[in-house]
Amino acid sequence: MPSYRVFRLKEHVRQNFRWTPHLSGLSQVKPKDYEEAFTLEGENPYAVWAAVRDSPRALQVGDVIEVDAFELRIVKYVGFEQAKWVLPEDKQAVEAQAAVAVA
């Protein structure tokens, strides 16, 4: 059975997420906006959701679950949708690219 890591959206970011219009497709999420909460095994994301829905650990809109460290799903009002981590670019690499472009 797959193992799912649950990442909670930080509360100050959750309010913005709730009011953002729903867009279908791949969601880009920033690791700095999330905190790892717990790990749970289940057959699929909906089984994980059902296992915790009546508990204090219930999944909320904006939370992310990671499947076996390679696939992300974000909880939205319409269900689970694909997501990916967006990592900040290395500042030195960006400056080096800019210097090459100018030269």
Side-chain angles (χ1 to χ4, degrees), residues 57-101:
R57 300 189 314 173
L59 297 178
Q60 300 175 28
V61 172
D63 290 344
V64 168
I65 60 173
E66 183 180 65
V67 186
D68 292 327
F70 68 90
E71 180 182 344
L72 290 181
R73 299 284 178 183
I74 188 166
V75 180
K76 292 193 172 182
Y77 291 107
V78 296
F80 291 95
E81 292 193 355
Q82 287 185 320
K84 76 172 194 174
W85 294 121
V86 176
L87 302 174
E89 291 186 33
D90 183 19
K91 186 176 180 181
Q92 291 176 345
V94 171
E95 288 173 354
Q97 288 176 352
V100 169

Side-chain angles (χ1 to χ4, degrees), residues 21-27 76 78 81-82:
H22 171 72
L23 300 173
S24 60
L26 185 66
S27 296
K76 292 193 172 182
V78 296
E81 292 193 355
Q82 287 185 320

